[in-house]
Amino acid sequence: MSIFCYKKIDAAVRLGEQFCKKREELKLTLEEAAEKTRVPLKYLAALEKSRFSDLPKTKVHRLAYVKEYATYLNLSPQACVGQFSCEDGLEGSHFIHPLRAIKLFPFLSISTALRTTILTLLVIFFASYLVWQVRRVLEPPRLAVYAPIEGHVLNQTRTAIVGETEKETHLTINGQDVMVTEDGKFDATIDLTVGVNTITIEAVKKHGKTTTLTRHVVVKQTAGIDEVSLR
């Protein structure tokens, strides 16, 4: 009595690849295999290429071809039929075997504790970033006016307004647009009148949040230009 010892299949490799590799090891052509198994050549080619949609539609014929080809190649028919059943229907969904997925994505193979720690740190990082972005949107823009100081007394009818705000902020002084540099600084000269002058500096974010500062300066008499600058 003859005893057959079927070779175990590697579940991490797709069934078609195993069929093709085993046939090449036996130095057989597809034509020879088709003649011996009486399975149409196009179906053997479809099995080796894992193009299961090219196989007959009936389940009985599909499984019979798999079993016949596995037996001919001295592979375990039961194991091949089982793997075929798992892979069949997954052809269009880019099937990745679980064991191969671990090779493709090493993150899945690390310890649970380390994986949990990494995921926790990532969650904290993204949560912190989200909070920071929300605060940037909800908080009014930063605005500082360095000159003139509140209550400054001048002998001139013009003065420079010097300060700093956030970049990409719309700035106005007494309703007039003022250019802000890329680093948020501004420097503008305005006209004054004799007596008490109210200077309103307003910074508006693109989301509508506003910061307003007011300076009161007094002009005693008309003269030239008071140059105010930061030292």
Side-chain angles (χ1 to χ4, degrees):
M1 180 178 63
S2 299
I3 299 177
F4 292 94
C5 182
Y6 292 117
K7 181 180 178 181
K8 293 183 178 180
I9 67 170
D10 184 359
V13 181
R14 296 203 68 174
L15 183 61
E17 297 177 34
Q18 296 185 66
F19 279 159
C20 182
K21 181 179 179 181
K22 183 61 177 178
R23 177 179 57 77
E24 291 175 348
E25 288 178 357
L26 296 175
K27 301 186 184 304
L28 297 171
T29 65
L30 270 177
E31 289 76 9
E32 292 173 331
E35 182 180 353
K36 293 293 184 181
T37 60
R38 296 187 179 180
V39 176
L41 178 63
K42 63 179 181 179
Y43 293 148
L44 292 184
L47 283 174
E48 290 195 357
K49 297 295 183 181
S50 295
R51 295 198 307 265
F52 301 144
S53 59
D54 294 343
L55 295 174
K57 301 303 180 183
T58 56
K59 184 177 180 180
V60 173
H61 286 89
R62 297 160 78 92
L63 296 181
Y65 289 159
V66 171
K67 185 176 181 180
E68 186 68 29
Y69 199 26
T71 302
Y72 175 69
L73 296 176
N74 198 28
L75 294 172
S76 171
Q78 292 78 11
C80 289
V81 168
Q83 185 168 346
F84 173 80
S85 299
C86 291
E87 295 182 14
D88 190 19
L90 299 177
E91 180 181 9
S93 60
H94 304 287
F95 171 78
I96 299 179
H97 193 279
L99 295 180
R100 181 173 290 183
I102 293 178
K103 297 178 182 178
L104 295 176
F105 307 103
F107 178 74
L108 299 176
S109 63
I110 64 178
S111 66
T112 302
L114 181 57
R115 186 163 63 244
T116 301
T117 301
I118 294 174
L119 290 175
T120 301
L121 291 175
L122 287 175
V123 169
I124 293 174
F125 171 78
F126 284 113
S128 301
Y129 177 77
L130 181 61
V131 170
W132 177 69
Q133 289 287 0
V134 171
R135 288 185 60 184
R136 285 191 62 191
V137 172
L138 298 180
E139 288 184 348
R142 177 176 52 84
L143 177 61
V145 177
Y146 304 131
I149 61 174
E150 175 65 18
H152 189 46
V153 179
L154 304 171
N155 292 323
Q156 293 82 15
T157 56
R158 299 188 73 192
T159 189
I161 312 299
V162 181
E164 187 175 2
T165 185
E166 297 177 11
K167 63 179 182 179
E168 299 181 357
T169 296
H170 180 234
L171 186 79
T172 60
I173 297 178
N174 287 348
Q176 299 297 316
D177 292 342
V178 175
M179 184 179 68
V180 178
T181 62
E182 291 185 357
D183 55 358
K185 293 181 172 55
F186 60 88
D187 186 344
T189 300
I190 65 170
D191 294 323
L192 304 172
T193 59
V194 176
V196 178
N197 292 263
T198 300
I199 304 171
T200 302
I201 305 97
E202 184 177 74
V204 183
K205 276 186 175 180
K206 60 181 179 180
H207 298 290
K209 295 297 181 179
T210 304
T211 298
T212 303
L213 294 179
T214 303
R215 291 287 186 271
H216 297 91
V217 297
V218 179
V219 177
K220 295 177 62 175
Q221 64 182 27
T222 304
I225 299 177
D226 176 36
E227 295 293 337
V228 181
S229 60
L230 291 176
R231 298 295 182 184

